[in-house]
Amino acid sequence: MGTSRFQRRKQVASYLGMILRECSSVGRQQLGAINKQGNRFMRTLLVECAQSVTRLDPGFRKQYLHRCHRMAKGVAKVAAARRLAVRLFWMLRTNTEYPEIVRIESSPTLAVVSES
């Protein structure tokens, strides 16, 4: 997974098969389960790693638990794995260490910029 291969985080999620399947019709959009088009082994590893990160990173755990209250636990695990994959992508792309990525991600100025 080279840094020049993907320009956006959505492309990484798509490559891993962690985007939602879409069944659209006239005037109706319905999103389903993940499409599972990517590497199954990589998805499995990311889910396992996301479980470890959930135990060790308080911010990650808070968001995971929030998702567990709103959706099924398995869905929350896959969402955490996708979030971890995006963090890893940014680590590779910007040559930044994990603690710095977490700090940047939790920065209030970044939240204002990303809402625009």
Side-chain angles (χ1 to χ4, degrees):
M1 216 166 61
T3 57
S4 63
R5 185 172 189 171
F6 306 109
Q7 282 74 45
R8 297 178 308 183
R9 62 187 175 151
K10 189 173 182 177
Q11 292 172 329
V12 173
S14 178
Y15 176 78
L16 295 170
M18 295 180 137
I19 59 171
L20 298 178
R21 186 177 303 153
E22 181 179 350
C23 299
S24 297
S25 182
V26 177
R28 174 179 75 82
Q29 179 186 24
Q30 184 176 1
L31 298 175
I34 60 172
N35 68 7
K36 299 183 182 179
Q37 293 289 315
N39 187 327
R40 180 190 310 173
F41 184 66
M42 182 69 88
R43 264 194 318 276
T44 303
L45 286 176
L46 278 168
V47 170
E48 293 294 323
C49 291
Q51 288 177 330
S52 295
V53 172
T54 300
R55 285 192 304 270
L56 300 172
D57 184 346
F60 208 88
R61 178 180 1 188
K62 182 180 177 185
Q63 190 170 24
Y64 169 73
L65 292 174
H66 179 72
R67 282 192 176 124
C68 281
H69 291 330
R70 293 184 312 150
M71 57 185 71
K73 199 172 196 175
V75 175
K77 285 180 183 180
V78 172
R82 178 178 174 170
R83 183 173 175 212
L84 180 61
V86 169
R87 279 186 176 181
L88 295 173
F89 164 70
W90 283 112
M91 284 175 61
L92 284 172
R93 184 160 181 184
T94 61
N95 200 18
T96 308
E97 293 185 12
Y98 186 81
E100 182 68 17
I101 292 290
V102 173
R103 189 188 67 73
I104 292 169
E105 190 178 81
S106 62
S107 170
T109 56
L110 181 66
V112 172
V113 172
S114 64
E115 289 175 2
S116 301

